[in-house]
Amino acid sequence: MASVESDIISDLRRISFTLRSHEERGSIVKEGRLTPALEIVKKDGRRTRQFQPSWYGVHKWLTGSAVTNKLYCWPCLLLSTKKHNWANGGYCDWKNLSRSAFLHRSSHEHIKNEVSLKRIEHEGTPTVMLLREQRRLAVLEHNEKVRKNREVLKRLIDISVVLSRQEVAFRGRREAEESGGHFIELVSSFFRHDAELKGYWQTNASVFSGLSKTIQNELIECVAEEMAAYVDREIEDCSFFACEVDETAAISPLSQLSLVLRYVDRKGNTQERFLGFKDVGADRTAVALKQVVDSEISKYDYKRKLVSQSYDGAAVLAGELGGLQTLVKNDAPQALLVHCFAHRLNLILQQGAQCIKQTRCFFATLEGFPTFFTRSSKCTELLHRIVGRIPSLCAARWTPNSTVLHAIASEREKLCQVFQEIVDGSGWDGECRRQAAGFLAKLNDFQFIFLLYCYRSIFSITDVLCDVLQKNAADVNDCNSQVHLTITMIGDLRKEEHFKEVLKSAATALSDLPAPPKQPRVKLEDEPPADGQNAHFLLYNDIIDNILVQILLRFADIKALQFLALSDSSRFPAFSKQFPTDAFSSLADSYGSCFDLDRLKSEFGVIFRDDQFQNRSVSDILLLINETGLCEVLAEVYRFFCLIATIPATAVSEESRFSCLERIKAYLRSAVEQDHLSARATISIETKLLSFLETQPNWYDHVIARFASKKERCIELHYK
């Protein structure tokens, strides 16, 4: 049965020594440790072990509690700042007592507490001062460990950023081997010149090494989340933003949406921020897509701030995206559907080629020409020696492919010479010969040559339109005029004399070369019978009609963007003499609720007459207003140019981002979860933003704070 004195240990475990009054602490130290005989017997197989009172004499620091029937370390029970059995839980493993006691008495924590207790007992130092010093030393020791832990974590963050930014796999092919993967190799390199930190890291590697796949992924997430938090703050400060959505196919069968927001920051710089890839494979209905978009942009007050939405490409989701833009517009009526002018033309030509079976086969063959010559350096050398260079095709953009078509049409004879040399020459493998023979046959096939010259006539017109749309998109009237001129010129191609000219050019081209050896012709399934010139005339007209219909459909709403003319500073002198009423009315119709229109008109009158604003780009005007402190004086004009800079009407800003998914996935190992692809893509795509954030003094503190908050860590990361 426990005595009254033995309850002191139980009380110390309930109310610690440091929380007691000065008088209580002095009384406990003066009375000293308790040494009760513990009535506890331990069975070890057939052998019985019981408490030996002589242990108190062997270990002068040992104390016991008859209430808990366990042993404790008296100095650690009173003064320890760390939790362990000898100070908190108690010890009762009689079999291993000698070994455990020896290890404890040799520990740094025990020696420190024993020294402090001796000072209290023999030097008469006030207990409160010793405890204060004890806490101070404990805090210093804790903070030093935190500092080293954070230094280790900083290097792991840097390594994660380097690999993600360069789109390199974290876990290389030899991850299981001694050399390790890319992440492990960089860890070794980063610690090579810091022996103290390397020693600390290696000593604590059993607790936290930072090399696991989970830690790597969490670090990627924390960096991407910190970047996203900065974007959130920027968008909160902006007046407007535009949402650009596209469906991009990954290597996996997943269907994903990419989201990009465009806005003007507080310094007047136009920003485009990649928000990530969202998996929409489970449900691709317009309502489901709207929920995905809402989950990303609802926090930005999009019902008031969203001024533009665009949905580029995405042929597989065309119908769903069409419904999506309607649902978004129901919530944000001012969010015009804006499609890059040049991209519209790209889709027109793309759609025109895919709607007709013959043209699908034609462009598939055309795509094979540049691909064939990249299959080996020997093919490339032969091409350069006889022909020169053939441009590469671009699957994402259609109009640049006209250069490939023009190159093949102009260099057809030399290309035939190249393919003939491969077919007849020695040293070429069978597959190369077969492909060369196929291309040679195509270059001598009348229908292929006919389509080659047909599209050359069309591209010579659409290339001019593309150039105008890219360089002069702010002048909507000029773009509209060029579109109508293009429609007229392509419509003229339907005339019989133009068809006969194309037919004659194809026949002349074939007559210039000796016919190749007769090749057996394989008839395509369901191929309609040829009917001489009439069949080609019908095909010719189908191609032209399809393109005309697409142009009329996709450029039908171009007049709704007539207000863009107000941003054309080269016309400011003319506007100062005659105010552009039609363009201003267009702005009032689309975005009247966003402006004080009377004030805006007056401010326009000022800048139209000011030489400083003339012949400047939209971005230059924004910076000029910002740097000269005119943001409040010309508040409505500044908002207008922010609106113009936000609307993605001139550049296919999102196109360059899609290829990043393919490049990143090519490097990713299956060990990295699909969920982390978007985070890595964000780091890789938003390199400039990341570089800026890395220069901020609190960058590492913010990332480490996110890492520490994700779950309870086995290392200390917070200072006291």
Side-chain angles (χ1 to χ4, degrees):
M1 188 172 71
S3 66
V4 175
E5 291 137 332
S6 66
D7 285 341
I8 295 175
I9 292 179
S10 299
D11 288 343
L12 285 171
R13 295 178 65 237
R14 184 170 53 87
I15 303 175
S16 68
F17 182 74
T18 58
L19 296 178
R20 295 173 180 266
S21 67
H22 176 69
E23 292 75 14
E24 283 183 297
R25 290 196 294 263
S27 175
I28 292 172
V29 171
K30 184 176 180 180
E31 291 182 12
R33 62 179 180 143
L34 299 178
T35 57
L38 303 184
E39 299 178 0
I40 183 170
V41 178
K42 293 280 186 176
K43 288 188 177 181
D44 182 18
R46 297 181 179 179
R47 190 174 181 179
T48 301
R49 300 178 186 273
Q50 61 183 10
F51 173 78
Q52 302 295 325
S54 61
W55 290 340
Y56 291 127
V58 176
H59 306 291
K60 302 296 184 182
W61 46 268
L62 204 62
T63 187
S65 171
V67 174
T68 63
N69 270 328
K70 291 182 180 180
L71 295 175
Y72 301 86
C73 171
W74 180 245
C76 292
L77 180 67
L78 298 180
L79 302 172
S80 181
T81 58
K82 295 184 176 181
K83 291 184 178 182
H84 54 84
N85 283 340
W86 287 107
N88 306 97
Y91 194 89
C92 60
D93 183 5
W94 308 146
K95 179 180 179 181
N96 298 305
L97 178 68
S98 297
R99 182 175 63 86
S100 182
F102 175 78
L103 292 174
H104 177 69
R105 68 182 292 272
S106 302
S107 68
H108 171 78
E109 182 71 11
H110 171 78
I111 295 172
K112 179 183 67 174
N113 294 328
E114 201 168 24
V115 168
S116 297
L117 184 58
K118 288 296 182 184
R119 284 177 179 170
I120 294 174
E121 292 173 347
H122 298 294
E123 295 180 6
T125 306
T127 307
V128 66
M129 293 181 60
L130 279 173
L131 290 174
R132 190 175 298 159
E133 178 66 12
Q134 187 82 354
R135 285 196 296 270
R136 188 185 72 83
L137 293 175
V139 169
L140 288 176
E141 181 182 0
H142 170 85
N143 287 346
E144 177 61 16
K145 285 187 175 182
V146 170
R147 185 190 69 80
K148 290 181 178 180
N149 290 336
R150 292 170 78 92
E151 287 298 319
V152 169
L153 207 55
K154 285 179 183 179
R155 284 153 177 78
L156 299 181
I157 291 170
D158 286 341
I159 293 169
S160 300
V161 167
V162 167
L163 293 175
S164 297
R165 180 185 272 141
Q166 299 301 321
E167 301 172 9
V168 177
F170 279 42
R171 303 168 68 83
R173 296 181 179 178
R174 301 175 298 168
E175 189 79 4
E177 299 177 14
E178 184 178 351
S179 62
H182 298 128
F183 191 90
I184 295 176
E185 290 291 338
L186 283 178
V187 167
S188 300
S189 299
F190 270 59
F191 284 119
R192 184 173 299 161
H193 303 293
D194 194 334
E196 180 185 359
L197 194 62
K198 181 179 181 180
Y200 177 81
W201 173 64
Q202 291 176 334
T203 301
N204 293 274
S206 59
V207 178
F208 178 84
S209 68
L211 303 181
S212 71
K213 177 187 65 176
T214 301
I215 296 298
Q216 293 169 8
N217 290 338
E218 288 176 345
L219 290 175
I220 298 169
E221 285 181 346
C222 291
V223 171
E225 287 170 4
E226 188 60 28
M227 295 170 69
Y230 181 83
V231 172
D232 290 347
R233 294 192 294 271
E234 278 193 327
I235 298 179
E236 285 177 4
D237 293 336
C238 73
S239 300
F240 313 108
F241 71 90
C243 181
E244 304 172 38
V245 182
D246 204 340
E247 188 267 350
T248 178
I251 292 176
S252 68
L254 292 177
S255 178
Q256 298 183 92
L257 284 185
S258 68
L259 277 78
V260 175
L261 296 189
R262 182 183 174 104
Y263 56 91
V264 176
D265 64 20
R266 63 172 61 184
K267 295 182 179 179
N269 297 311
T270 304
Q271 304 290 355
E272 282 192 328
R273 301 302 189 196
F274 174 74
L275 297 190
F277 295 110
K278 307 300 174 184
D279 181 14
V280 293
D283 189 351
R284 300 187 298 178
T285 62
V287 174
L289 297 179
K290 172 67 161 48
Q291 291 175 349
V292 172
V293 174
D294 271 355
S295 67
E296 294 297 320
I297 68 174
S298 59
K299 59 184 175 182
Y300 302 129
D301 190 16
Y302 82 93
K303 294 182 180 180
R304 181 177 63 87
K305 285 186 173 183
L306 183 64
V307 293
S308 169
Q309 50 177 325
S310 63
Y311 304 90
D312 291 338
V316 70
L317 293 181
E320 291 84 351
L321 289 177
L324 171 59
Q325 64 92 9
T326 302
L327 292 176
V328 171
K329 197 168 178 62
N330 289 339
D331 289 341
Q334 75 282 0
L336 291 182
L337 178 64
V338 178
H339 211 126
C340 165
F341 292 161
H343 200 138
R344 295 187 193 198
L345 180 59
N346 175 53
L347 292 177
I348 288 167
L349 298 174
Q350 202 171 40
Q351 195 72 18
Q354 296 301 315
C355 288
I356 303 171
K357 181 177 67 174
Q358 292 91 329
T359 56
R360 284 200 302 270
C361 296
F362 169 76
F363 281 104
T365 303
L366 199 70
E367 183 180 351
F369 280 91
T371 304
F372 172 82
F373 289 107
T374 59
R375 70 191 309 271
S376 70
S377 58
K378 189 176 180 182
C379 290
T380 305
E381 188 278 329
L382 179 61
L383 176 70
H384 288 175
R385 177 164 56 85
I386 298 177
V387 178
R389 180 179 174 274
I390 293 181
S392 299
L393 282 161
C394 177
R397 296 187 180 184
W398 190 261
T399 47
N401 295 343
S402 67
T403 57
V404 179
L405 186 142
H406 285 295
I408 292 175
S410 59
E411 301 293 343
R412 176 176 164 274
E413 293 184 17
K414 291 182 179 180
L415 283 171
C416 286
Q417 182 181 344
V418 170
F419 290 125
Q420 193 65 57
E421 184 168 329
I422 294 175
V423 172
D424 297 338
S426 59
W428 301 93
D429 61 76
E431 180 63 24
C432 187
R433 289 177 188 274
R434 283 191 295 273
Q435 290 187 21
F439 285 122
L440 183 60
K442 281 294 180 183
L443 289 174
N444 287 276
D445 177 70
F446 182 81
Q447 179 160 295
F448 182 85
I449 302 302
F450 171 76
L451 291 174
L452 190 69
Y453 282 94
C454 174
Y455 273 101
R456 188 166 76 164
S457 300
I458 295 171
F459 284 165
S460 64
I461 299 172
T462 58
D463 285 351
V464 175
L465 176 60
C466 180
D467 189 56
V468 171
L469 294 178
Q470 286 187 326
K471 294 182 179 179
N472 202 24
D475 189 342
V476 178
N477 290 328
D478 192 19
C479 291
N480 195 32
S481 298
Q482 189 63 43
V483 168
H484 284 291
L485 178 60
T486 300
I487 291 172
T488 301
M489 294 178 69
I490 293 179
D492 287 342
L493 293 179
R494 295 187 86 261
K495 295 179 180 179
E496 189 174 354
E497 57 265 29
H498 287 292
F499 164 71
K500 289 183 177 180
E501 185 178 338
V502 171
L503 203 65
K504 182 179 178 182
S505 298
T508 302
L510 281 177
S511 64
D512 291 340
L513 286 174
K518 189 73 173 178
Q519 299 288 336
R521 185 172 181 275
V522 179
K523 185 178 179 65
L524 295 175
E525 186 178 355
D526 297 329
E527 182 182 11
D531 188 22
Q533 290 189 11
N534 186 49
H536 289 98
F537 184 68
L538 292 175
L539 175 60
Y540 178 80
N541 284 335
D542 282 347
I543 293 171
I544 294 174
D545 290 344
N546 190 280
I547 291 176
L548 287 174
V549 170
Q550 290 288 329
I551 291 177
L552 290 170
L553 178 65
R554 293 190 180 273
F555 285 101
D557 62 343
I558 192 170
K559 287 186 177 180
L561 299 175
Q562 193 174 0
F563 64 86
L564 291 176
L566 292 167
S567 65
D568 187 356
S569 60
S570 66
R571 302 169 67 185
F572 283 2
F575 290 163
S576 67
K577 297 176 182 178
Q578 183 175 356
F579 190 82
T581 305
D582 292 341
F584 192 80
S585 298
S586 171
L587 177 67
D589 292 340
S590 299
Y591 298 107
S593 62
C594 300
F595 299 96
D596 180 341
L597 293 176
D598 292 335
R599 172 79 185 189
L600 176 61
K601 189 171 183 178
S602 299
E603 291 181 10
F604 270 138
V606 173
I607 70 165
F608 287 163
R609 292 175 173 82
D610 193 329
D611 294 343
Q612 290 190 68
F613 292 97
Q614 295 175 8
N615 297 311
R616 287 178 177 268
S617 66
V618 172
S619 59
D620 286 342
I621 291 176
L622 284 170
L623 292 176
L624 175 63
I625 295 175
N626 209 295
E627 292 171 356
T628 54
L630 295 174
C631 292
E632 294 184 5
V633 178
L634 297 174
E636 296 303 313
V637 158
Y638 185 74
R639 282 172 62 84
F640 167 76
F641 281 103
C642 285
L643 171 69
I644 297 299
T646 300
I647 297 174
T650 59
V652 189
S653 53
E654 208 175 355
E655 284 283 339
S656 60
R657 303 175 184 272
F658 298 153
S659 59
C660 292
L661 176 63
E662 294 293 335
R663 296 202 308 270
I664 292 171
K665 286 189 71 67
Y667 285 110
L668 285 176
R669 298 269 319 258
S670 58
V672 180
E673 287 86 351
Q674 183 73 24
D675 293 343
H676 302 287
L677 170 61
S678 190
R680 290 198 63 183
T682 300
I683 295 173
S684 174
I685 291 169
E686 295 294 350
T687 302
K688 289 185 179 180
L689 173 60
L690 178 59
S691 298
F692 166 74
L693 292 176
E694 286 177 320
T695 64
Q696 303 307 298
N698 296 324
W699 163 248
Y700 289 110
D701 292 337
H702 291 164
V703 176
I704 291 173
R706 290 183 181 278
F707 180 78
S709 65
K710 282 189 174 293
K711 62 183 181 183
E712 186 176 352
R713 301 294 176 184
C714 54
I715 57 171
E716 296 290 346
L717 292 172
H718 294 295
Y719 289 108
K720 290 185 177 179

